[in-house]
């Protein structure tokens, strides 16, 4: 059950795709959202035990850091590219142990909820999630769900 370089890249790009789809659903990602994502959430993802092999954890950490640097240096993120990344994830998940795939899938959905709640809380508006953000979360969930 080896993951290819492309599989690792998809796993590393997936959090950025999730972040972008939710943060940009209501007009665009603020600097504060980007900072919270790169400084807080990526550290949380790096703590997820991944496939029981510390080397795999280091690969994921490297890919995440590399991808987030591209994002924060102004290259932005094309939403169609994000959707394409998420559409291809179920094929990668099928190569993984089910427990690990489910944990990663759950972490992506947790990120989507945190992004949608975080921008509102930062503005002092409470944790109400906009309709656009709810639609983005539902789309993400559909794209990364288990294959039938």
């Amino acid at each position: 059950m080896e993951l290819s370089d492309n599989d690792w890249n998809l796993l590393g790009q997936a959090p950025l795709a999730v972040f972008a789809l939710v943060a940009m659903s209501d007009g665009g990602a603020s600097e504060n959202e980007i900072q919270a994502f790169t400084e807080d959430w990526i550290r949380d993802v790096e703590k997820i035990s991944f496939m029981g092999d510390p080397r795999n954890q280091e690969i994921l950490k490297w890919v995440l850091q590399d991808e987030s640097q591209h994002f924060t240096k102004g290259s932005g993120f094309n939403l169609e590219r994000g959707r394409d990344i998420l559409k291809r994830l179920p094929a990668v998940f099928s190569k993984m142990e089910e427990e690990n795939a489910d944990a990663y899938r759950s972490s992506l959905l947790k990120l989507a909820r945190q992004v949608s709640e975080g921008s509102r809380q930062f503005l002092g508006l409470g944790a109400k999630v906009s309709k656009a953000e709810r639609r983005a979360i539902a789309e993400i969930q559909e794209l990364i769900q288990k294959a039938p």
Side-chain angles (χ1 to χ4, degrees):
M1 174 163 51
E2 281 288 313
L3 295 180
S4 69
D5 289 348
N6 188 50
D7 294 337
W8 283 109
N9 283 329
L10 286 173
L11 289 171
Q13 293 168 349
L16 288 166
V18 167
F19 172 79
L21 287 172
V22 176
M24 299 170 104
S25 69
D26 57 3
S30 71
E31 289 297 319
N32 292 323
E33 288 172 320
I34 292 171
Q35 183 177 357
F37 173 72
T38 57
E39 292 179 6
D40 297 331
W41 196 82
I42 286 181
R43 276 192 300 234
D44 291 343
V45 170
E46 290 173 356
K47 294 175 189 171
I48 295 172
S49 175
F50 196 72
M51 297 176 68
D53 185 339
R55 293 173 295 176
N56 290 338
Q57 190 66 26
E58 287 302 310
I59 293 169
L60 181 62
K61 180 179 177 180
W62 179 82
V63 172
L64 276 169
Q65 289 173 343
D66 185 57
E67 289 298 325
S68 66
Q69 286 175 357
H70 293 299
F71 188 77
T72 56
K73 289 183 179 171
S75 64
F77 204 87
N78 177 297
L79 295 180
E80 286 309 311
R81 177 177 168 236
R83 287 181 179 102
D84 182 60
I85 289 165
L86 297 179
K87 282 180 194 173
R88 294 187 292 156
L89 273 182
V92 177
F93 290 152
S94 71
K95 297 177 185 180
M96 298 165 57
E97 291 180 27
E98 188 172 354
E99 178 181 321
N100 292 316
D102 287 345
Y104 204 73
R105 189 181 290 110
S106 293
S107 71
L108 293 174
L109 292 172
K110 178 181 177 183
L111 169 63
R113 287 188 295 276
Q114 287 175 333
V115 171
S116 66
E117 294 169 358
S119 61
R120 304 262 319 156
Q121 289 175 341
F122 176 78
L123 297 172
L125 302 173
K128 185 176 180 184
V129 177
S130 73
K131 285 183 182 180
E133 290 168 330
R134 284 195 298 272
R135 281 192 300 271
I137 293 168
E139 179 182 12
I140 291 163
Q141 190 166 10
E142 184 178 317
L143 290 171
I144 66 172
Q145 70 185 351
K146 292 181 185 179

